[in-house]
Amino acid sequence: MLATPNQLNYRFPAEWEKHEATWLSWPHNQDTWPGKIDQILSSYAKFIEVLSNCELVRINVNNAAMQAKASEILTNHGLDLGRIEFYNHTTNDAWCRDHGPSFLINETADSKKVIVNWEYNAWGGKYPPFEQDNQIPSKIAESLGLPIFNAGIVMEGGSVDFNGDGTLITTTSCLLNKNRNPRLNKEEIEQKLIDYYGVKQILWLNEGIEGDDTDGHIDDITRFINKNTVVSVVEHNANDLNYNALNENIKELQKMKLEDGSSINIVELPMPSPVIYNNQRLPASYANFYICNDYVIVPTFNDKMDDKALDIIQGCFDSKEVIGINSVDIIWGLGSFHCLSQQEPEI
């Protein structure tokens, strides 16, 4: 039997550790942003601009025509393409957090960086086709000349978060959903996460937020910002549909212990007012921020809580600047900046 990444002492770095690049998949699926795909590109370009100020941005495109269009849009928004690399890797959609590769590192190994290829089924088969997205980790491994480990189970990057010191946090509503890995029980899924992410323990919250079509991704609710601290969203309006689930998550976090036996420090992050479009509640959350080398990029929603959320997150990051980017149009696709991106660690 082949050794697992954990047996070979590979680990998935915390997001705040040094990046070589951020991976994106250029948005092109009209069904993801019905009537709005052109409107999201200004905020998307701003996201890429901030990223490219401190690290490479590697973008999957379907063909030369899409690369030319993306280059034109970015140039028109004032970006220097010298920090942008395009890869001809065909995708079905833009959510690189979920269909992109998991990069693991081991500074002492011959191959210091490897890729884990999880299976991807578009959040339980909700949005076919997804076959091209499922091939992205293998294509990136080939393009970069990196070894690849095939985990053999469905797993999405937005469903897990890491403290970089042995602990992974996720939700039962997503990873134990029968639309992912119906033949595996909780203990078997935990073992896969330990084997292929190089962690030591799994912490479980329960439910995600309203409007989240992923069945409750952790990156909309609770995020590690250092090895012993999380920010976790709370809803103060008792009449809101998120009120009970988010308060229950806080209570669960208060009971949890890290791998070294210590308790978790909890920073509460407010929720914006409900964002509704075409009578549909969207999964708007300030927790869907992305941590890059010099910045923390936070979705904002033209909401009265925007500034408070930005201030709270800035207080969590002494060495990084927090930048808010309007996500009112992007969130119509049911995700934001963390969902769109996947970090590649520097080694």
Side-chain angles (χ1 to χ4, degrees), residues 89 101 115 136-148:
H89 300 152
I115 280 175
I136 288 297
S138 298
K139 291 178 179 178
I140 291 176
E142 182 177 358
S143 292
L144 298 182
L146 295 178
I148 190 166

Side-chain angles (χ1 to χ4, degrees), residues 167-191:
T167 295
L168 177 158
I169 191 166
T170 185
T171 63
T172 58
S173 60
C174 177
L175 279 198
L176 301 189
N177 194 305
K178 292 303 182 184
N179 61 15
R180 296 325 200 264
N181 300 291
R183 292 180 297 277
L184 300 182
N185 61 32
K186 181 179 180 180
E187 289 72 26
E188 290 168 326
I189 290 173
E190 283 190 335
Q191 193 59 53

Side-chain angles (χ1 to χ4, degrees), residues 176 207 248 276:
L176 301 189
E207 299 291 331
E248 182 61 30
I276 310 291

